[in-house]
Amino acid sequence: MDMAQVVGGNVQRLRSAAGISLADLAAAGGISKTTLHGIEQGQGNPTLSTLWALATALHVPLGDLLEAPAAPAEVVRAADERPYARGAAVGARMLHRIPVHGTVEVYEVEIDQAGQDSAAHLPGVQECLVLTSGRITTGPADAPAELAAGDSIRFDGAHPHVYRGHGGHNRGILLMLYTER
């Protein structure tokens, strides 16, 4: 995806999420509706000052317009190389880095073979699961991943998602991250 498409998709997504009309965002950003429409379609090449004006009008950091959206799920396999630090008695391998202002709940979970289809949670909820034993399929309902012991996944819980065990003794640690509103 090229930069114009990334910026256009981000502007359109953030505008829709904020409930702002195309006309209102164009006015707040000091640009024409036609120009804004072109940007949202990935056909524009906005200047830095235009991007700053749009970011300000949307109340988001400039990087939110420039950065490609994250994948729907981030899977880390047990064998993947990740940042690692070692102390005198403890070694730590970073699995996921999740910025959050809010509440984190930590659960020990068991996943049965029967499986579970979970409805979307509130906007801003993320789930992060580290599978400690067994084998499961989990993640966004439209793109689940199969995990084995030692693998982990992080995904947006504000979309339908699934949990299915394969065999018995499927256990893990689940972090539920709730952003402040």
Side-chain angles (χ1 to χ4, degrees):
M1 189 180 288
D2 74 2
M3 186 56 118
Q5 290 175 323
V6 168
V7 169
N10 287 339
V11 170
Q12 186 175 39
R13 177 180 50 79
L14 292 166
R15 179 180 62 78
S16 294
I20 301 172
S21 72
L22 189 93
D24 288 343
L25 180 57
I31 61 175
S32 72
K33 289 191 309 185
T34 303
T35 299
L36 179 57
H37 179 72
I39 290 170
E40 286 192 355
Q41 296 302 306
Q43 300 165 349
N45 189 17
T47 65
L48 182 58
S49 47
T50 297
L51 292 174
W52 271 115
L54 291 172
T56 300
L58 290 165
H59 304 287
V60 299
L62 178 63
D64 285 4
L65 301 184
L66 301 175
E67 189 172 57
E74 177 188 16
V75 177
V76 176
R77 301 290 177 197
D80 288 350
E81 287 191 32
R82 301 291 292 173
Y84 184 84
R86 180 101 186 122
V90 176
R93 181 174 81 122
M94 183 168 57
L95 299 176
H96 301 277
R97 187 167 183 264
I98 307 167
V100 65
H101 297 285
T103 302
V104 177
E105 298 174 345
V106 180
Y107 296 93
E108 179 180 27
V109 295
E110 298 177 15
I111 300 99
D112 294 334
Q113 286 182 328
Q116 176 176 309
D117 293 320
S118 295
H121 300 304
L122 294 172
V125 175
Q126 293 185 59
E127 294 191 25
C128 182
L129 179 113
V130 179
L131 193 64
T132 55
S133 66
R135 192 171 55 86
I136 68 167
T137 298
T138 190
D142 59 352
E146 188 171 315
L147 304 180
D151 294 344
S152 63
I153 187 170
R154 178 189 56 82
F155 60 89
D156 184 352
H159 298 284
H161 48 284
V162 299
Y163 283 93
R164 301 240 187 289
H166 304 284
H169 306 292
N170 304 302
R171 290 184 166 69
I173 302 298
L174 174 65
L175 286 78
M176 297 289 297
L177 303 110
Y178 300 89
T179 56
E180 284 184 353
R181 299 191 144 259

